[in-house]
């Protein structure tokens, strides 16, 4: 607005110089008051506008009382200080004020800090610009976002590690805000970037690292976190608690929100945590071409210069998971962090080793890996695999129908409609117990063959009316062996590869089933056996007459 008045004054002064017009003529030409023309001719710079006088606020008479309440808070116990709501209630009750709560809130918010600064308790809200040496510092924080995981809306936690100099950041999504996620995120960031900062990494007072906040910047650290820092050889810088320390790691604070808005909006959809993190890695690669405001080089270019300044990684990789030794109960389940996981039934009443990681649980019998589960995040949840109970169900086939393992297998999709159809057909032919055992033999094939080939083997066997596990096994192995063979590219359907001799007799003799040549032999006949039966009857009749003393005529 002021620049427009300067231009107006310049035009008025120019017209007066070149044309020597009167004040009235200049006012009419430029559409302004004669007073404005006189001001322009008197000085090239417009005079400052008079400040607008606003009517007194209804809150003005009560501001001294509010200030007094805030000064009382300087020495009051921390948990018994005035809130804006309490100040408003006191104004209404004690001073008869007819003011609204928003007016009180808007005045109290900035005035509280001003009074603290006046008393010397707080400093003015100002920051000192900082320079970060290449490879020296990094910042870490967690954020939250939602993801549709296998069709279920799930809360996820985003670990963010950001280099202070270049702005290069590493992001990883985890199902829990646990120490395992915290450590695993660090390991992933160190290995992704190829080194460790030489000076320090900045943190909030996260429970995964800090057991207790002491005076100043002293902290009681979690023992496992202290061991992790010692292994990788870096120092931790802990920010001031609360909002007062947010600016001390403002780079990563802003990065959490920026990445969420840029790449995790709208709500992403993935089947597994691994798929989600693969997507995040791709987003990070695209972020390398981004330029931070005020910088000429991209993030990727800045980090290439910074990479050589990082401290090399130690030779041994730190295991971020936590090793536990749970006992296997009578249901072949172990309890880890209030969740249950299945193990092979042969391990009942034995102690096993469980490696608890951020997104998975690995269970060992000695040095042998016997079970792998996705980590269960809900309290009292279960992860039960049907495969762990097959040997037990072979002895107790009647327990399969109502088992928890079967229910979990149906929910996860491991027990398909093809398995169910085979089971039903086998029970009709072989009876409940024997039919269920045939199904269990089919399920055991999954330990050695891909799931899709086993399902294809079930379809092939049932297409010719077979409910034998041996037929399923033969066909599944044939499909596995011939996956890349040209025969699979032929027009013969896969289900026709199981031969049925009865069908071969009835079909066109030129048809080829399962790759066998046509059977041109004549159909077997029992006519010749009728002659043998006639001779046998004659011999039997002669022997009977001899016993009775009858001489044949």
């Amino acid at each position: 607005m002021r620049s427009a008045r300067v231009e107006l004054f310049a035009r008025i002064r120019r017209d007066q110089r070149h044309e020597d017009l009167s004040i009235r003529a200049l006012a009419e030409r430029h559409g302004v008051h004669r007073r404005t023309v006189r001001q322009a001719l008197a000085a090239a710079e417009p005079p400052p506008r008079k400040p607008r006088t606003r009517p007194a606020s209804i809150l003005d008479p009560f501001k001294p009382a509010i200030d007094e309440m805030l000064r009382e808070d300087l020495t009051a116990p921390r948990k018994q200080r005035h809130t804006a709501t309490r100040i408003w209630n006191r104004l209404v009750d004690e001073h008869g004020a007819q003011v609204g709560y928003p007016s009180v809130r808007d005045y109290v918010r900035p005035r509280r800090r001003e009074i603290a600064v006046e008393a010397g308790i707080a400093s003015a809200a100002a920051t000192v610009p900082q320079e970060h040496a290449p490879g020296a510092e990094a910042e870490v924080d967690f954020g939250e976002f939602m993801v549709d995981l296998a069709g279920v809306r799930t809360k996820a936690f985003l670990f963010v590690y950001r280099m202070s100099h270049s702005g290069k950041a590493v992001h990883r999504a985890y199902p829990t805000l646990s120490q395992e996620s915290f450590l695993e995120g660090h390991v992933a960031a160190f290995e992704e970037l190829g080194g460790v900062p030489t000076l320090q990494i900045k943190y909030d007072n996260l429970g995964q690292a800090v057991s207790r906040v002491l005076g100043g910047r002293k902290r009681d650290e979690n023992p496992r976190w202290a061991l992790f820092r010692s292994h990788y050889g870096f120092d931790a810088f802990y920010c001031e608690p609360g909002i007062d320390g947010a600016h001390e790691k403002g780079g990563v604070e802003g990065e959490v929100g920026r990445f969420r808005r840029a790449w995790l909006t709208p709500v992403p959809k993935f089947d597994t945590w691994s798929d989600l993190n693969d997507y995040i890695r791709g987003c990070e690669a695209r972020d390398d071409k981004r330029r931070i405001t005020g910088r000429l080089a991209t993030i990727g270019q800045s980090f290439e210069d910074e990479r050589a300044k990082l401290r090399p990684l130690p030779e041994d990789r730190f295991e971020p998971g936590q090793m536990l030794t749970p006992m296997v109960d009578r249901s072949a389940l172990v309890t880890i962090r209030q969740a249950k996981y299945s193990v092979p039934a042969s391990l009942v009443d034995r102690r096993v080793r469980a490696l608890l990681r951020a997104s998975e649980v690995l269970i060992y019998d000695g040095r042998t890996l016997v079970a792998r589960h996705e980590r269960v995040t809900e309290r009292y949840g279960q992860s039960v695999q049907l495969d762990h109970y097959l040997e037990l169900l072979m002895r107790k086939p009647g327990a399969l129908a109502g088992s928890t393992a079967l229910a979990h297998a149906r929910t996860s999709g491991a027990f398909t409609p093809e398995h169910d159809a085979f089971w039903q057909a086998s029970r009709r032919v072989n009876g409940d117990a024997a039919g269920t055992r045939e199904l269990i033999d089919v399920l055991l094939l999954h330990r050695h063959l891909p799931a899709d080939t086993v399902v294809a083997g079930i379809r092939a066997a049932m297409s010719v009316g077979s409910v034998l596990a041996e037929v399923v096994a033969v066909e599944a192995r044939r499909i596995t062996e011939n996956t890349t063979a040209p025969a699979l590219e032929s027009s013969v359907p896969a289900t026709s590869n199981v031969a049925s001799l009865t069908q071969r007799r009835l079909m066109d003799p030129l048809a080829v089933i399962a790759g066998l040549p046509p059977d041109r032999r004549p159909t077997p006949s029992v006519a010749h056996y009728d002659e043998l039966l006639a001779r046998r009857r004659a011999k039997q009749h002669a022997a009977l007459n001899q016993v009775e003393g009858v001489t044949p005529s």
Side-chain angles (χ1 to χ4, degrees):
M1 179 66 72
R2 184 169 177 80
S3 62
R5 286 178 59 81
V6 171
E7 293 176 2
L8 173 63
F9 275 37
R11 291 196 300 270
I12 294 174
R13 292 169 65 88
R14 183 184 65 245
D15 292 349
Q16 200 278 336
R17 284 197 309 271
H18 293 299
E19 304 181 30
D20 195 21
L21 299 175
S22 66
I23 293 177
R24 180 184 294 276
L26 289 171
E28 291 177 354
R29 172 177 291 187
H30 295 283
V32 296
H33 197 275
R34 292 190 297 274
R35 180 175 59 253
T36 302
V37 174
R38 292 189 183 95
Q39 291 175 348
L41 297 178
E45 182 177 2
R49 291 183 178 273
K50 294 181 179 180
R52 180 183 299 177
T53 57
R54 297 184 178 182
S57 169
I58 194 173
L59 188 64
D60 286 349
F62 306 102
K63 288 181 179 179
I66 297 175
D67 292 350
E68 183 61 29
M69 297 179 197
L70 296 177
R71 291 189 181 94
E72 292 176 1
D73 285 347
L74 297 176
T75 56
R78 184 177 183 84
K79 295 183 179 181
Q80 290 178 266
R81 297 176 183 174
H82 287 86
T83 63
T85 302
R86 179 56 183 154
I87 291 175
W88 175 60
N89 288 332
R90 288 191 62 184
L91 292 178
V92 173
D93 297 339
E94 300 176 12
H95 300 271
Q98 299 294 322
V99 297
Y101 168 75
S103 301
V104 176
R105 177 199 59 200
D106 294 342
Y107 177 76
V108 168
R109 183 180 292 124
R111 187 57 180 153
R112 188 190 301 275
R113 183 171 183 84
E114 292 173 0
I115 289 177
V117 172
E118 293 171 2
I121 296 177
S123 59
T127 59
V128 179
Q130 300 289 306
E131 287 290 336
H132 303 285
E137 296 182 68
E139 302 169 357
V140 167
D141 201 2
F142 269 104
E144 296 180 2
F145 70 99
M146 303 302 293
V147 57
D148 288 339
L149 200 66
V152 179
R153 184 62 57 89
T154 306
K155 177 186 285 189
F157 298 92
L158 185 68
F159 173 90
V160 182
Y161 176 101
R162 181 181 185 273
M163 295 300 301
S164 300
H165 173 76
S166 64
K168 172 68 175 178
V170 176
H171 314 74
R172 291 295 180 269
Y174 296 108
T176 62
L177 194 64
S178 61
Q179 188 181 63
E180 295 78 34
S181 304
F182 186 60
L183 299 183
E184 191 170 311
H186 278 81
V187 173
F190 293 159
E191 294 178 352
E192 179 78 16
L193 303 181
V196 182
T198 57
L199 180 59
Q200 63 189 13
I201 302 177
K202 295 183 177 180
Y203 301 93
D204 283 334
N205 298 282
L206 299 169
Q208 297 87 344
V210 175
S211 300
R212 185 174 55 166
V213 178
L214 305 177
R217 297 192 184 276
K218 295 181 179 180
R219 306 289 187 270
D220 274 346
E221 292 186 329
N222 183 287
R224 185 165 174 78
W225 168 242
L227 177 63
F228 180 86
R229 289 201 307 102
S230 176
H231 180 84
Y232 283 101
F234 66 91
D235 293 330
F237 177 91
Y238 297 107
C239 300
E240 290 291 334
I243 193 66
D244 293 336
H247 68 280
E248 295 181 331
K249 57 178 186 63
V252 73
E253 294 276 358
E255 175 63 21
V256 172
R258 185 205 67 81
F259 191 86
R260 183 168 49 211
R261 292 188 297 271
W263 301 114
L264 301 175
T265 302
V267 175
K269 299 178 175 62
F270 293 96
D271 291 332
T272 64
W273 291 101
S274 178
D275 293 341
L276 173 58
N277 281 313
D278 287 342
Y279 164 76
I280 288 176
R281 291 186 187 93
C283 297
E284 292 171 350
R286 296 176 65 180
D287 272 342
D288 285 344
K289 301 177 182 179
R290 187 172 64 91
R291 281 184 173 84
I292 298 176
T293 303
R295 300 186 185 182
L296 298 178
T298 65
I299 290 176
Q301 292 169 343
S302 298
F303 179 69
E304 286 304 316
D305 298 335
E306 188 175 32
R307 188 193 301 271
K309 306 295 179 60
L310 295 173
R311 179 182 292 114
L313 294 172
E315 295 183 1
D316 298 330
R317 186 179 188 271
F318 189 92
E319 173 52 61
Q322 184 174 356
M323 188 60 71
L324 306 170
T325 56
M327 180 70 74
V328 182
D329 63 19
R330 298 302 300 272
S331 299
L333 299 172
V334 296
T335 302
I336 301 172
R337 299 280 177 86
Q338 296 184 319
K340 291 185 179 294
Y341 303 88
S342 66
V343 298
S346 59
L347 300 177
V348 167
D349 292 335
R350 292 176 57 180
R351 192 170 293 278
V352 295
R353 295 189 306 122
L355 182 60
L356 178 65
R357 288 180 173 169
S359 303
E360 63 179 355
V361 177
L362 308 180
I363 302 175
Y364 296 85
D365 179 28
R367 295 186 178 183
T368 304
L369 179 65
V370 295
R372 182 191 293 269
H373 297 267
E374 286 193 4
R375 181 165 177 170
V376 177
T377 57
E378 61 269 17
R379 195 177 184 185
Y380 305 126
Q382 291 185 342
S383 176
V384 182
Q385 297 178 8
L386 180 58
D387 180 75
H388 294 156
Y389 298 88
L390 295 181
E391 286 80 4
L392 179 61
L393 290 170
M394 189 65 78
R395 300 195 307 270
K396 302 179 179 181
L400 175 61
S403 65
T404 303
L406 179 60
H408 280 246
R410 291 185 190 275
T411 303
S412 65
F415 194 84
T416 65
E418 287 80 3
H419 291 92
D420 213 343
F422 181 90
W423 187 21
Q424 300 301 327
S426 181
R427 291 166 69 185
R428 286 195 301 268
V429 173
N430 302 313
D432 287 344
T436 300
R437 289 191 176 95
E438 290 291 337
L439 171 67
I440 294 172
D441 283 335
V442 171
L443 294 174
L444 287 169
L445 294 175
H446 286 278
R447 296 183 179 179
H448 312 288
L449 298 173
D452 55 344
T453 59
V454 175
V455 172
I458 294 174
R459 295 195 196 101
M462 295 194 65
S463 68
V464 294
S466 175
V467 288
L468 295 177
E470 290 86 349
V471 176
V472 176
V474 170
E475 188 63 14
R477 290 191 179 96
R478 185 197 62 77
I479 295 173
T480 302
E481 293 171 359
N482 298 333
T483 299
T484 59
L488 291 181
E489 300 176 2
S490 66
S491 60
V492 179
T495 56
S496 67
N497 289 300
V498 176
S500 169
L501 296 180
T502 302
Q503 288 183 354
R504 287 195 59 189
R505 294 287 183 183
L506 300 177
M507 291 178 64
D508 187 332
L510 297 179
V512 178
I513 301 178
L516 298 177
D519 189 356
R520 302 187 183 280
R521 294 175 298 176
T523 303
S525 173
V526 296
H528 297 290
Y529 292 93
D530 293 341
E531 298 178 5
L532 298 176
L533 291 175
R535 294 177 183 177
R536 183 176 182 181
R537 293 192 191 98
K539 289 182 180 181
Q540 290 176 348
H541 182 69
L544 180 63
N545 291 338
Q546 185 177 1
V547 170
E548 295 178 351
V550 177
T551 303
S553 57

